[in-house]
Amino acid sequence: MAIKSMKFRGYRCFATEWAGFDEYKPVNVIIGRNNVGKSQLLDLVNLACKGWPRANEPNCDFLLRGSLEEQLLRNRFPENTSGGDLAGGHWTNHGLHFVDVPFVWERNKHGSLERIQIDESYAPPSGSREIELTPPRLKRLSDALGSLATPLSGRTFRHLLADRDIQTESATNGVHLAPNGIGATNVIRRHITSSLMRRELVQEVLLSALNEVFGSDGEFTEIQTRQHDGVESGDLPWEIYLGQKHKGLVALSSSGSGLKTVILVLLHLLVMPENDGENADASIYAFEELENNLHPALLRRLLAYIERFATEHRTNVFLTTHSNVALDIFGSSENAQIIHVTHDGETARTSTVHAHFDKLGVIAELGARPADLLQANGIIWVEGPSDAIYLNRWIE
């Protein structure tokens, strides 16, 4: 099992309290008010993908939970060795007792291990004696635990920021998708036009997923890229166009930002891993505030798609959100957990939301209260900024 849980302390706003994850589920929803540290918690996820910090990198203390597999223990407690600082056979009398036993320990900012303990939740088999952590045993266990990699080590961290967009771009041979969406047009253009890339990854796989997420809100027939010939420049920019029944090809710039968000999510999930020569389970995905400019019904379908993707591909997705829609979808899902980030003015902390009343408290903190509806003189629902413009004009 290796390391199951990883928390940190002493990093930016998480100054004095342990913050992080008790476990990693397919979908991990990070929720809280503005400027409490949600995005910085994603730094811990990115760190877990990169491995332990190097000497010249910002560091902090870690609180870890996990267990040791048999082969790793055999390396520290050899089977054919006895005596010395350990009485009796090193394996049969010592190492064997620690196979799959859960430990809790700290790793300080200098990389040294401290306070190694057996997890208090561990129940020894009936009839067995309590396992004693003697100094000679602790020395070997410390060596074994210190050799463990971070829980998400070696996986690619794919990040989509809350401030994102898809814009026209000049043609380049490189295929790179930045967290703010820069590069998306070229990624799609290259897959459509290059003989070295799978055209169907965009025209079939991405298109099919796009129609699945939009459902009855829109049916797209093709994805293309075109140059803007009217621009007075030798470097003509490219733009993404989507084909729709009865509409023909429509420029992405003429569509809503919600469509751009869905395309960016699907590019991260479906296109970029294969482009980088990886399977989907070799990546970790972090999406910030997907609800921005998305209709709640479309957001529900997008989040449901993300959950199915994460479970089917056995990967992990981390979502920061202010939306109670995410609580509705993931609050009772066995594939998801909700992490609440709070800040008391001095330090930030995290807690895993379990109970129903905890979820109600989180919703209230986000500003959604029943009285807002029950005491209103009137309610008019609008789908987006353009509807608000029409509404304000009508009121005037």
Side-chain angles (χ1 to χ4, degrees):
M1 182 184 295
I3 296 178
K4 174 186 176 183
S5 169
M6 180 175 174
K7 296 185 177 182
F8 65 167
R9 181 179 62 189
Y11 178 80
R12 294 189 177 180
C13 66
F14 298 97
T16 60
E17 298 286 339
W18 292 114
F21 304 90
D22 294 321
E23 61 179 324
Y24 295 96
K25 289 204 169 187
V27 179
N28 305 271
V29 182
I30 303 170
I31 199 162
R33 296 187 179 187
N34 285 327
N35 300 318
V36 296
K38 298 190 300 296
S39 296
Q40 291 176 22
L41 190 58
L42 293 179
D43 291 346
L44 176 63
V45 179
N46 190 12
L47 180 63
C49 294
K50 291 181 177 179
W52 303 114
R54 298 179 179 88
N56 60 341
E57 295 177 336
N59 210 337
C60 54
D61 299 323
F62 296 95
L63 177 64
L64 306 160
R65 282 181 168 83
S67 58
L68 294 167
E69 296 178 349
E70 180 175 332
Q71 186 56 54
L72 187 56
L73 284 165
R74 284 183 179 274
N75 294 338
R76 267 64 181 187
F77 298 88
E79 187 169 8
N80 298 321
T81 306
S82 61
D85 59 349
L86 291 173
H90 288 193
W91 174 249
T92 55
N93 293 94
H94 302 278
L96 179 63
H97 302 301
F98 296 109
V99 176
D100 294 328
V101 171
F103 288 94
V104 179
W105 70 101
E106 295 180 21
R107 177 189 172 104
N108 64 31
K109 62 183 63 179
H110 306 294
S112 301
L113 270 57
E114 303 173 345
R115 288 180 276 280
I116 301 172
Q117 303 174 19
I118 295 176
D119 196 322
E120 60 184 13
S121 65
Y122 174 68
S126 179
S128 62
R129 294 186 302 175
E130 182 178 350
I131 302 175
E132 186 179 358
L133 295 179
T134 62
R137 285 179 169 180
L138 277 173
K139 183 179 183 304
R140 287 166 171 78
L141 290 170
S142 178
D143 291 341
L145 293 170
S147 68
L148 295 178
T150 55
L152 306 176
S153 180
R155 299 168 76 177
T156 302
F157 183 72
R158 303 190 184 277
H159 190 189
L160 181 60
L161 296 172
D163 186 10
R164 54 185 175 261
D165 194 12
I166 298 179
Q167 299 181 346
T168 61
E169 296 176 350
S170 299
T172 63
N173 289 332
V175 180
H176 174 72
L177 181 57
N180 62 359
I182 291 177
T185 299
N186 263 312
V187 168
I188 290 179
R189 181 191 63 82
R190 287 283 290 162
H191 278 83
I192 292 175
T193 61
S194 172
S195 61
L196 301 177
M197 297 182 179
R198 275 210 310 140
R199 187 172 185 270
E200 59 270 22
L201 188 59
V202 166
Q203 290 286 29
E204 296 178 13
V205 177
L206 178 63
L207 185 64
S208 175
L210 188 63
N211 282 321
E212 180 180 343
V213 171
F214 267 81
S216 59
D217 289 342
E219 183 178 353
F220 302 98
T221 57
E222 61 178 322
I223 301 177
Q224 296 290 346
T225 53
R226 289 184 168 186
Q227 281 185 297
H228 285 279
D229 293 332
V231 177
E232 295 182 2
S233 170
D235 187 13
L236 303 179
W238 291 76
E239 182 171 1
I240 297 170
Y241 283 74
L242 292 172
Q244 291 183 268
K245 286 186 176 181
H246 312 301
K247 292 184 179 181
L249 286 174
V250 178
L252 191 59
S253 59
S254 300
S255 304
S257 57
L259 176 58
K260 296 179 181 180
T261 289
V262 176
I263 291 175
L264 286 171
V265 169
L266 296 178
L267 283 173
H268 278 84
L269 295 176
L270 301 173
V271 176
M272 296 311 298
E274 180 173 319
N275 178 77
D276 296 338
E278 298 177 351
N279 294 324
D281 61 0
S283 296
I284 297 297
Y285 305 90
F287 301 133
E288 297 195 47
E289 300 177 24
L290 295 181
E291 66 271 14
N292 292 351
N293 298 322
L294 277 186
H295 186 281
L298 180 57
L299 176 61
R300 288 188 180 94
R301 290 195 295 270
L302 178 60
L303 295 179
Y305 181 90
I306 289 173
E307 181 179 7
R308 288 195 303 274
F309 181 92
T311 53
E312 290 173 4
H313 291 86
R314 300 191 177 189
T315 187
N316 306 94
V317 177
F318 295 82
L319 305 170
T320 67
T321 183
H322 295 134
S323 172
N324 56 332
V325 172
L327 291 182
D328 292 339
I329 292 178
F330 298 121
S332 59
S333 172
E334 61 181 11
N335 300 315
Q337 64 176 340
I338 298 171
I339 307 298
H340 187 196
V341 184
T342 56
H343 200 295
D344 61 8
E346 296 182 1
T347 186
R349 55 176 56 85
T350 62
S351 59
T352 304
V353 177
H354 296 291
H356 174 68
F357 286 103
D358 291 337
K359 296 172 186 174
L360 293 180
V362 170
I363 293 175
E365 183 177 299
L366 295 181
R369 295 177 176 84
D372 294 340
L373 298 180
L374 296 177
Q375 297 180 9
N377 291 326
I379 301 170
I380 301 176
W381 296 102
V382 297
E383 293 189 359
S386 60
D387 288 359
I389 293 173
Y390 298 136
L391 179 63
N392 288 330
R393 178 63 176 170
W394 174 74
I395 291 174
E396 292 173 0

PDB file of all heavy atoms in Angstrom, residues 98-123:
ATOM      1  N   PHE A  98       5.595  -6.767  11.080  1.00  0.00           N
ATOM      2  CA  PHE A  98       5.233  -5.432  10.605  1.00  0.00           C
ATOM      3  C   PHE A  98       4.650  -5.432   9.186  1.00  0.00           C
ATOM      4  O   PHE A  98       4.375  -4.359   8.641  1.00  0.00           O
ATOM      5  CB  PHE A  98       6.462  -4.515  10.636  1.00  0.00           C
ATOM      6  CG  PHE A  98       7.000  -4.275  12.019  1.00  0.00           C
ATOM      7  CD1 PHE A  98       8.204  -4.842  12.413  1.00  0.00           C
ATOM      8  CD2 PHE A  98       6.300  -3.504  12.924  1.00  0.00           C
ATOM      9  CE1 PHE A  98       8.704  -4.635  13.691  1.00  0.00           C
ATOM     10  CE2 PHE A  98       6.788  -3.281  14.200  1.00  0.00           C
ATOM     11  CZ  PHE A  98       7.998  -3.853  14.589  1.00  0.00           C
ATOM     12  N   VAL A  99       4.452  -6.598   8.599  1.00  0.00           N
ATOM     13  CA  VAL A  99       3.908  -6.655   7.247  1.00  0.00           C
ATOM     14  C   VAL A  99       2.488  -6.083   7.235  1.00  0.00           C
ATOM     15  O   VAL A  99       1.616  -6.544   7.989  1.00  0.00           O
ATOM     16  CB  VAL A  99       3.906  -8.097   6.700  1.00  0.00           C
ATOM     17  CG1 VAL A  99       3.241  -8.146   5.327  1.00  0.00           C
ATOM     18  CG2 VAL A  99       5.328  -8.636   6.609  1.00  0.00           C
ATOM     19  N   ASP A 100       2.265  -5.065   6.413  1.00  0.00           N
ATOM     20  CA  ASP A 100       0.954  -4.417   6.242  1.00  0.00           C
ATOM     21  C   ASP A 100       0.413  -3.777   7.514  1.00  0.00           C
ATOM     22  O   ASP A 100      -0.787  -3.480   7.613  1.00  0.00           O
ATOM     23  CB  ASP A 100      -0.072  -5.417   5.690  1.00  0.00           C
ATOM     24  CG  ASP A 100       0.264  -5.870   4.287  1.00  0.00           C
ATOM     25  OD1 ASP A 100       0.843  -5.064   3.539  1.00  0.00           O
ATOM     26  OD2 ASP A 100      -0.045  -7.031   3.940  1.00  0.00           O
ATOM     27  N   VAL A 101       1.255  -3.555   8.495  1.00  0.00           N
ATOM     28  CA  VAL A 101       0.837  -2.832   9.697  1.00  0.00           C
ATOM     29  C   VAL A 101       0.845  -1.334   9.379  1.00  0.00           C
ATOM     30  O   VAL A 101       1.842  -0.813   8.870  1.00  0.00           O
ATOM     31  CB  VAL A 101       1.785  -3.135  10.877  1.00  0.00           C
ATOM     32  CG1 VAL A 101       1.479  -2.216  12.066  1.00  0.00           C
ATOM     33  CG2 VAL A 101       1.663  -4.587  11.295  1.00  0.00           C
ATOM     34  N   PRO A 102      -0.236  -0.606   9.642  1.00  0.00           N
ATOM     35  CA  PRO A 102      -0.276   0.823   9.305  1.00  0.00           C
ATOM     36  C   PRO A 102       0.538   1.666  10.292  1.00  0.00           C
ATOM     37  O   PRO A 102       0.438   1.489  11.506  1.00  0.00           O
ATOM     38  CB  PRO A 102      -1.771   1.167   9.394  1.00  0.00           C
ATOM     39  CG  PRO A 102      -2.320   0.168  10.367  1.00  0.00           C
ATOM     40  CD  PRO A 102      -1.521  -1.086  10.189  1.00  0.00           C
ATOM     41  N   PHE A 103       1.341   2.569   9.738  1.00  0.00           N
ATOM     42  CA  PHE A 103       2.171   3.461  10.543  1.00  0.00           C
ATOM     43  C   PHE A 103       1.742   4.909  10.341  1.00  0.00           C
ATOM     44  O   PHE A 103       1.180   5.280   9.310  1.00  0.00           O
ATOM     45  CB  PHE A 103       3.644   3.326  10.157  1.00  0.00           C
ATOM     46  CG  PHE A 103       4.293   2.041  10.609  1.00  0.00           C
ATOM     47  CD1 PHE A 103       4.347   0.947   9.765  1.00  0.00           C
ATOM     48  CD2 PHE A 103       4.841   1.937  11.869  1.00  0.00           C
ATOM     49  CE1 PHE A 103       4.943  -0.237  10.162  1.00  0.00           C
ATOM     50  CE2 PHE A 103       5.440   0.761  12.289  1.00  0.00           C
ATOM     51  CZ  PHE A 103       5.494  -0.334  11.435  1.00  0.00           C
ATOM     52  N   VAL A 104       2.052   5.729  11.345  1.00  0.00           N
ATOM     53  CA  VAL A 104       1.928   7.179  11.251  1.00  0.00           C
ATOM     54  C   VAL A 104       3.290   7.759  11.611  1.00  0.00           C
ATOM     55  O   VAL A 104       3.875   7.365  12.626  1.00  0.00           O
ATOM     56  CB  VAL A 104       0.855   7.727  12.214  1.00  0.00           C
ATOM     57  CG1 VAL A 104       0.768   9.251  12.096  1.00  0.00           C
ATOM     58  CG2 VAL A 104      -0.490   7.092  11.935  1.00  0.00           C
ATOM     59  N   TRP A 105       3.793   8.665  10.788  1.00  0.00           N
ATOM     60  CA  TRP A 105       5.091   9.256  11.085  1.00  0.00           C
ATOM     61  C   TRP A 105       5.182  10.646  10.470  1.00  0.00           C
ATOM     62  O   TRP A 105       4.372  11.030   9.637  1.00  0.00           O
ATOM     63  CB  TRP A 105       6.232   8.363  10.585  1.00  0.00           C
ATOM     64  CG  TRP A 105       6.406   8.283   9.099  1.00  0.00           C
ATOM     65  CD1 TRP A 105       7.320   8.942   8.323  1.00  0.00           C
ATOM     66  CD2 TRP A 105       5.639   7.476   8.167  1.00  0.00           C
ATOM     67  NE1 TRP A 105       7.191   8.605   6.995  1.00  0.00           N
ATOM     68  CE2 TRP A 105       6.171   7.693   6.873  1.00  0.00           C
ATOM     69  CE3 TRP A 105       4.575   6.571   8.314  1.00  0.00           C
ATOM     70  CZ2 TRP A 105       5.661   7.072   5.738  1.00  0.00           C
ATOM     71  CZ3 TRP A 105       4.068   5.954   7.188  1.00  0.00           C
ATOM     72  CH2 TRP A 105       4.610   6.202   5.917  1.00  0.00           C
ATOM     73  N   GLU A 106       6.181  11.391  10.921  1.00  0.00           N
ATOM     74  CA  GLU A 106       6.431  12.722  10.397  1.00  0.00           C
ATOM     75  C   GLU A 106       7.765  12.748   9.674  1.00  0.00           C
ATOM     76  O   GLU A 106       8.714  12.066  10.061  1.00  0.00           O
ATOM     77  CB  GLU A 106       6.432  13.760  11.528  1.00  0.00           C
ATOM     78  CG  GLU A 106       5.086  13.916  12.214  1.00  0.00           C
ATOM     79  CD  GLU A 106       5.117  14.943  13.327  1.00  0.00           C
ATOM     80  OE1 GLU A 106       6.041  15.807  13.312  1.00  0.00           O
ATOM     81  OE2 GLU A 106       4.235  14.888  14.209  1.00  0.00           O
ATOM     82  N   ARG A 107       7.801  13.541   8.621  1.00  0.00           N
ATOM     83  CA  ARG A 107       9.035  13.803   7.886  1.00  0.00           C
ATOM     84  C   ARG A 107       9.259  15.305   7.952  1.00  0.00           C
ATOM     85  O   ARG A 107       8.449  16.083   7.428  1.00  0.00           O
ATOM     86  CB  ARG A 107       8.894  13.331   6.435  1.00  0.00           C
ATOM     87  CG  ARG A 107      10.113  13.633   5.552  1.00  0.00           C
ATOM     88  CD  ARG A 107       9.798  13.324   4.106  1.00  0.00           C
ATOM     89  NE  ARG A 107      10.862  13.768   3.212  1.00  0.00           N
ATOM     90  CZ  ARG A 107      11.749  12.969   2.632  1.00  0.00           C
ATOM     91  NH1 ARG A 107      11.685  11.660   2.854  1.00  0.00           N
ATOM     92  NH2 ARG A 107      12.678  13.447   1.843  1.00  0.00           N
ATOM     93  N   ASN A 108      10.348  15.729   8.603  1.00  0.00           N
ATOM     94  CA  ASN A 108      10.552  17.164   8.773  1.00  0.00           C
ATOM     95  C   ASN A 108      11.134  17.793   7.511  1.00  0.00           C
ATOM     96  O   ASN A 108      11.461  17.101   6.546  1.00  0.00           O
ATOM     97  CB  ASN A 108      11.423  17.462  10.000  1.00  0.00           C
ATOM     98  CG  ASN A 108      12.842  16.920   9.876  1.00  0.00           C
ATOM     99  OD1 ASN A 108      13.398  16.827   8.776  1.00  0.00           O
ATOM    100  ND2 ASN A 108      13.441  16.559  11.009  1.00  0.00           N
ATOM    101  N   LYS A 109      11.255  19.109   7.516  1.00  0.00           N
ATOM    102  CA  LYS A 109      11.683  19.834   6.325  1.00  0.00           C
ATOM    103  C   LYS A 109      13.112  19.506   5.905  1.00  0.00           C
ATOM    104  O   LYS A 109      13.523  19.837   4.787  1.00  0.00           O
ATOM    105  CB  LYS A 109      11.536  21.332   6.551  1.00  0.00           C
ATOM    106  CG  LYS A 109      12.377  21.897   7.676  1.00  0.00           C
ATOM    107  CD  LYS A 109      12.107  23.381   7.867  1.00  0.00           C
ATOM    108  CE  LYS A 109      10.677  23.630   8.273  1.00  0.00           C
ATOM    109  NZ  LYS A 109      10.386  25.074   8.491  1.00  0.00           N
ATOM    110  N   HIS A 110      13.866  18.828   6.788  1.00  0.00           N
ATOM    111  CA  HIS A 110      15.222  18.412   6.446  1.00  0.00           C
ATOM    112  C   HIS A 110      15.268  16.991   5.892  1.00  0.00           C
ATOM    113  O   HIS A 110      16.341  16.500   5.552  1.00  0.00           O
ATOM    114  CB  HIS A 110      16.125  18.524   7.671  1.00  0.00           C
ATOM    115  CG  HIS A 110      16.113  19.885   8.312  1.00  0.00           C
ATOM    116  ND1 HIS A 110      16.613  21.012   7.674  1.00  0.00           N
ATOM    117  CD2 HIS A 110      15.629  20.309   9.514  1.00  0.00           C
ATOM    118  CE1 HIS A 110      16.448  22.065   8.462  1.00  0.00           C
ATOM    119  NE2 HIS A 110      15.859  21.669   9.578  1.00  0.00           N
ATOM    120  N   GLY A 111      14.104  16.329   5.827  1.00  0.00           N
ATOM    121  CA  GLY A 111      14.037  14.980   5.289  1.00  0.00           C
ATOM    122  C   GLY A 111      14.203  13.882   6.317  1.00  0.00           C
ATOM    123  O   GLY A 111      14.200  12.699   5.962  1.00  0.00           O
ATOM    124  N   SER A 112      14.333  14.233   7.600  1.00  0.00           N
ATOM    125  CA  SER A 112      14.488  13.226   8.659  1.00  0.00           C
ATOM    126  C   SER A 112      13.119  12.787   9.164  1.00  0.00           C
ATOM    127  O   SER A 112      12.176  13.585   9.228  1.00  0.00           O
ATOM    128  CB  SER A 112      15.319  13.796   9.809  1.00  0.00           C
ATOM    129  OG  SER A 112      16.599  14.187   9.361  1.00  0.00           O
ATOM    130  N   LEU A 113      13.023  11.508   9.550  1.00  0.00           N
ATOM    131  CA  LEU A 113      11.765  10.958  10.056  1.00  0.00           C
ATOM    132  C   LEU A 113      11.706  11.072  11.571  1.00  0.00           C
ATOM    133  O   LEU A 113      12.704  10.867  12.268  1.00  0.00           O
ATOM    134  CB  LEU A 113      11.619   9.497   9.636  1.00  0.00           C
ATOM    135  CG  LEU A 113      10.915   9.241   8.289  1.00  0.00           C
ATOM    136  CD1 LEU A 113      11.639   9.963   7.166  1.00  0.00           C
ATOM    137  CD2 LEU A 113      10.825   7.761   7.996  1.00  0.00           C
ATOM    138  N   GLU A 114      10.508  11.390  12.072  1.00  0.00           N
ATOM    139  CA  GLU A 114      10.291  11.581  13.509  1.00  0.00           C
ATOM    140  C   GLU A 114       8.979  10.936  13.921  1.00  0.00           C
ATOM    141  O   GLU A 114       8.078  10.740  13.108  1.00  0.00           O
ATOM    142  CB  GLU A 114      10.257  13.080  13.854  1.00  0.00           C
ATOM    143  CG  GLU A 114      11.490  13.869  13.456  1.00  0.00           C
ATOM    144  CD  GLU A 114      11.328  15.358  13.680  1.00  0.00           C
ATOM    145  OE1 GLU A 114      10.153  15.797  13.865  1.00  0.00           O
ATOM    146  OE2 GLU A 114      12.329  16.080  13.671  1.00  0.00           O
ATOM    147  N   ARG A 115       8.873  10.622  15.202  1.00  0.00           N
ATOM    148  CA  ARG A 115       7.626  10.173  15.842  1.00  0.00           C
ATOM    149  C   ARG A 115       6.938   9.048  15.055  1.00  0.00           C
ATOM    150  O   ARG A 115       5.759   9.153  14.700  1.00  0.00           O
ATOM    151  CB  ARG A 115       6.686  11.358  16.054  1.00  0.00           C
ATOM    152  CG  ARG A 115       7.150  12.277  17.156  1.00  0.00           C
ATOM    153  CD  ARG A 115       6.220  13.449  17.351  1.00  0.00           C
ATOM    154  NE  ARG A 115       6.522  14.528  16.432  1.00  0.00           N
ATOM    155  CZ  ARG A 115       7.505  15.408  16.602  1.00  0.00           C
ATOM    156  NH1 ARG A 115       8.288  15.331  17.650  1.00  0.00           N
ATOM    157  NH2 ARG A 115       7.724  16.358  15.732  1.00  0.00           N
ATOM    158  N   ILE A 116       7.666   7.996  14.782  1.00  0.00           N
ATOM    159  CA  ILE A 116       7.094   6.833  14.101  1.00  0.00           C
ATOM    160  C   ILE A 116       6.244   6.049  15.089  1.00  0.00           C
ATOM    161  O   ILE A 116       6.708   5.662  16.161  1.00  0.00           O
ATOM    162  CB  ILE A 116       8.211   5.931  13.528  1.00  0.00           C
ATOM    163  CG1 ILE A 116       9.067   6.719  12.530  1.00  0.00           C
ATOM    164  CG2 ILE A 116       7.624   4.699  12.878  1.00  0.00           C
ATOM    165  CD1 ILE A 116      10.293   5.969  12.055  1.00  0.00           C
ATOM    166  N   GLN A 117       4.983   5.826  14.742  1.00  0.00           N
ATOM    167  CA  GLN A 117       4.062   5.096  15.604  1.00  0.00           C
ATOM    168  C   GLN A 117       3.209   4.153  14.762  1.00  0.00           C
ATOM    169  O   GLN A 117       3.030   4.364  13.556  1.00  0.00           O
ATOM    170  CB  GLN A 117       3.140   6.056  16.358  1.00  0.00           C
ATOM    171  CG  GLN A 117       3.854   7.091  17.199  1.00  0.00           C
ATOM    172  CD  GLN A 117       2.882   8.091  17.790  1.00  0.00           C
ATOM    173  OE1 GLN A 117       1.672   7.837  17.882  1.00  0.00           O
ATOM    174  NE2 GLN A 117       3.385   9.256  18.173  1.00  0.00           N
ATOM    175  N   ILE A 118       2.685   3.137  15.422  1.00  0.00           N
ATOM    176  CA  ILE A 118       1.682   2.300  14.778  1.00  0.00           C
ATOM    177  C   ILE A 118       0.345   3.025  14.852  1.00  0.00           C
ATOM    178  O   ILE A 118      -0.022   3.567  15.896  1.00  0.00           O
ATOM    179  CB  ILE A 118       1.588   0.923  15.461  1.00  0.00           C
ATOM    180  CG1 ILE A 118       2.913   0.169  15.261  1.00  0.00           C
ATOM    181  CG2 ILE A 118       0.430   0.107  14.900  1.00  0.00           C
ATOM    182  CD1 ILE A 118       2.976  -1.162  15.978  1.00  0.00           C
ATOM    183  N   ASP A 119      -0.363   3.093  13.744  1.00  0.00           N
ATOM    184  CA  ASP A 119      -1.643   3.798  13.689  1.00  0.00           C
ATOM    185  C   ASP A 119      -2.573   3.255  14.761  1.00  0.00           C
ATOM    186  O   ASP A 119      -2.734   2.043  14.916  1.00  0.00           O
ATOM    187  CB  ASP A 119      -2.269   3.626  12.302  1.00  0.00           C
ATOM    188  CG  ASP A 119      -3.384   4.619  12.043  1.00  0.00           C
ATOM    189  OD1 ASP A 119      -4.149   4.922  12.983  1.00  0.00           O
ATOM    190  OD2 ASP A 119      -3.504   5.084  10.907  1.00  0.00           O
ATOM    191  N   GLU A 120      -3.176   4.166  15.516  1.00  0.00           N
ATOM    192  CA  GLU A 120      -4.048   3.759  16.623  1.00  0.00           C
ATOM    193  C   GLU A 120      -5.274   2.992  16.163  1.00  0.00           C
ATOM    194  O   GLU A 120      -5.922   2.308  16.953  1.00  0.00           O
ATOM    195  CB  GLU A 120      -4.486   4.986  17.413  1.00  0.00           C
ATOM    196  CG  GLU A 120      -5.264   6.007  16.590  1.00  0.00           C
ATOM    197  CD  GLU A 120      -5.608   7.260  17.358  1.00  0.00           C
ATOM    198  OE1 GLU A 120      -5.045   7.457  18.456  1.00  0.00           O
ATOM    199  OE2 GLU A 120      -6.449   8.034  16.870  1.00  0.00           O
ATOM    200  N   SER A 121      -5.604   3.078  14.876  1.00  0.00           N
ATOM    201  CA  SER A 121      -6.749   2.330  14.354  1.00  0.00           C
ATOM    202  C   SER A 121      -6.427   0.848  14.130  1.00  0.00           C
ATOM    203  O   SER A 121      -7.331   0.054  13.870  1.00  0.00           O
ATOM    204  CB  SER A 121      -7.217   2.939  13.027  1.00  0.00           C
ATOM    205  OG  SER A 121      -6.220   2.804  12.024  1.00  0.00           O
ATOM    206  N   TYR A 122      -5.140   0.482  14.230  1.00  0.00           N
ATOM    207  CA  TYR A 122      -4.738  -0.900  13.956  1.00  0.00           C
ATOM    208  C   TYR A 122      -5.166  -1.811  15.099  1.00  0.00           C
ATOM    209  O   TYR A 122      -4.914  -1.530  16.274  1.00  0.00           O
ATOM    210  CB  TYR A 122      -3.229  -0.978  13.766  1.00  0.00           C
ATOM    211  CG  TYR A 122      -2.699  -2.383  13.610  1.00  0.00           C
ATOM    212  CD1 TYR A 122      -3.004  -3.138  12.489  1.00  0.00           C
ATOM    213  CD2 TYR A 122      -1.895  -2.955  14.597  1.00  0.00           C
ATOM    214  CE1 TYR A 122      -2.526  -4.427  12.340  1.00  0.00           C
ATOM    215  CE2 TYR A 122      -1.404  -4.240  14.454  1.00  0.00           C
ATOM    216  CZ  TYR A 122      -1.724  -4.974  13.331  1.00  0.00           C
ATOM    217  OH  TYR A 122      -1.252  -6.252  13.186  1.00  0.00           O
ATOM    218  N   ALA A 123      -5.805  -2.922  14.740  1.00  0.00           N
ATOM    219  CA  ALA A 123      -6.221  -3.942  15.725  1.00  0.00           C
ATOM    220  C   ALA A 123      -5.418  -5.211  15.457  1.00  0.00           C
ATOM    221  O   ALA A 123      -5.617  -5.858  14.419  1.00  0.00           O
ATOM    222  CB  ALA A 123      -7.713  -4.217  15.612  1.00  0.00           C
TER     223      ALA A 123
END
